[in-house]
Amino acid sequence: KAGVTQTPRYLIKTRGQQVTLSCSPISGHRSVSWYQQTPGQGLQFLFEYFSETQRNKGNFPGRFSGRQFSNSRSEMNVSTLELGDSALYLCASSLAGGANTGELFFGEGSRLTVL
Amino acid sequence: AQSVTQLDSQVPVFEEAPVELRCNYSSSVSVYLFWYVQYPNQGLQLLLKYLSGSTLVKGINGFEAEFNKSQTSFHLRKPSVHISDTAEYFCASRGGGSYIPTFGRGTSLIVHP
C-alpha cells in the first residue's frame, strides 16, 4: 500500500513569491491535514480537508490556503511569502468517519526555504 | 481544547541504557493518545497508540507506554536504547469531540555510544 506522497520535497523561493505544495493521501483515506513544522514552534496545525471541504482550520493568516480534489489529493498554497514561512510542511492522511481514531499517516514533507 | 505537554525538550542517554520520555495531556472524557517518531529529514511515523483497554501499550522498535488516567500521563519507555533510536518524539492526543489530534512540542532523544 503506497504511503502519503508529497511533492516537491525541497524548494527555494524568495520573499513575495507564492508556492503550491501537493499531497497524495493513502488510497481510501478521505481526510487530509497539513502541518507547519519549525524549530521554534514545533508542529502547528494549518487545516484539514474532508470530501473537498475544509473541515478544520488552525490559526494562520489568509495567505495560507488549501483545497482538496475529488480523488482526495490536496494542495496547499502560500502567497506573498515571508522569511518566517520557511519550514517543513507536512501532510497527513487519515480514515474518516467512525473509523477515525485520529491516527495520522504522514508524508516526508516539503521543505520550503524563503530567501 | 486539548493540550499536550512534553516535559523534556531534550533527553541524552547512553546506548543500552533505559529511557523514559514524559507526556501529560489535558483531561477529557474520552481520549486517544499517540506517540510518533520523526527521524531526520523524514515525516512522522506512529510508534504506538492507546485507544482503550489495557493501560500498557506496546509499539514498534521495543517501545511501550503506559496510560495513567489519574495522573493524565502517557509516558514512553524503552528498556535499552540503541543509537538508531536517536530522533524526535512527539506525543499527541485526540479527544473532546475534535477530529484533530493535538501535538506536544516534541522531545529530542539523543543516544550516545
Side-chain angles (χ1 to χ4, degrees):
Chain A
K1 197 173 188 181
V4 178
T5 304
Q6 290 188 248
T7 56
R9 287 293 313 279
Y10 302 91
L11 64 166
I12 300 173
K13 294 286 187 178
T14 56
R15 279 180 298 176
Q17 286 187 310
Q18 73 165 16
V19 66
T20 299
L21 309 177
S22 179
C23 172
S24 293
I26 291 173
S27 177
H29 285 191
R30 295 166 61 192
S31 170
V32 174
S33 300
W34 289 90
Y35 289 82
Q36 181 195 65
Q37 185 179 22
T38 58
Q41 298 297 319
L43 275 167
Q44 301 287 310
F45 171 71
L46 280 155
F47 27 65
E48 183 234 0
Y49 285 87
F50 172 71
S51 290
E52 302 178 63
T53 301
Q54 187 180 87
R55 188 164 63 174
N56 291 281
K57 188 177 188 303
N59 189 26
F60 277 82
R63 300 186 296 110
F64 292 81
S65 63
R67 59 178 175 169
Q68 186 181 34
F69 303 95
S70 58
N71 61 358
S72 293
R73 191 177 70 84
S74 177
E75 289 181 346
M76 68 162 283
N77 183 275
V78 188
S79 62
T80 320
L81 284 166
E82 301 176 0
L83 295 179
D85 296 333
S86 295
L88 180 67
Y89 289 88
L90 292 165
C91 168
S93 72
S94 66
L95 292 168
N100 183 13
T101 62
E103 178 181 348
L104 298 176
F105 296 81
F106 284 85
E108 293 193 309
S110 293
R111 184 165 295 282
L112 171 65
T113 301
V114 182
L115 302 176
Chain B
Q2 288 279 310
S3 68
V4 176
T5 303
Q6 291 186 242
L7 296 159
D8 306 294
S9 60
Q10 202 172 83
V11 173
V13 64
F14 286 106
E15 195 172 18
E16 298 184 7
V19 70
E20 178 180 82
L21 306 183
R22 298 180 292 169
C23 172
N24 286 91
Y25 63 95
S26 60
S27 181
S28 180
V29 174
S30 64
V31 63
Y32 299 144
L33 296 163
F34 309 87
W35 275 99
Y36 289 85
V37 60
Q38 184 180 33
Y39 299 104
N41 297 315
Q42 294 187 25
L44 283 69
Q45 69 177 85
L46 185 71
L47 268 180
L48 49 80
K49 59 187 175 186
Y50 171 79
L51 304 179
S52 64
S54 173
T55 57
L56 184 63
V57 180
K58 293 189 182 298
I60 62 172
N61 301 340
F63 284 93
E64 63 181 33
E66 186 156 18
F67 170 60
N68 188 318
K69 189 174 182 178
S70 63
Q71 297 186 7
T72 61
S73 68
F74 190 56
H75 300 334
L76 181 70
R77 301 186 183 100
K78 186 170 183 178
S80 175
V81 296
H82 191 265
I83 294 284
S84 60
D85 292 323
T86 295
E88 192 82 14
Y89 292 78
F90 292 91
C91 182
S93 77
R94 182 213 156 192
S98 171
Y99 286 112
I100 305 303
T102 300
F103 284 85
R105 295 291 294 266
T107 297
S108 178
L109 175 63
I110 303 168
V111 181
H112 298 286

